[in-house]
Amino acid sequence: MAITANIFEDTLEFAPVYLRILDKEKRLRPLAPNPVQAEFMTHRTRRDLVLKARQLGFTTIIQADLFRK
């Protein structure tokens, strides 16, 4: 992925380049947003609520967005 000046405005572009996570096998990997995370980030509003969503990665992508900001 090419790094552009706009990368700092979009979490979906920022995360794989600058952020790393431990996967389930305890290996350090780039944070590549999954389809559920990408859908949430693309269509979110300022009033979204995430209720009891587990193992989908909502907390991870929200933390990535807060880190980017």
Side-chain angles (χ1 to χ4, degrees), residues 8-68:
F8 298 105
E9 300 298 320
D10 183 12
T11 302
L12 296 177
E13 290 183 30
F14 177 85
V17 176
Y18 291 102
L19 300 177
R20 304 287 178 262
I21 60 168
L22 286 175
D23 65 11
K24 291 182 181 183
E25 288 80 33
K26 306 290 185 212
R27 294 177 295 198
L28 196 61
R29 301 285 177 135
L31 175 55
N34 66 36
V36 174
Q37 292 169 327
E39 177 79 14
F40 174 73
M41 294 302 289
T42 303
H43 296 97
R44 68 187 176 151
T45 66
R46 293 183 57 104
R47 300 179 61 168
D48 294 318
L49 298 174
V50 179
L51 303 175
K52 292 194 139 237
R54 298 177 186 210
Q55 303 298 314
L56 295 177
F58 284 111
T59 302
T60 302
I61 200 67
I62 291 168
Q63 288 177 335
D65 189 48
L66 292 172
F67 183 83
R68 180 196 55 83

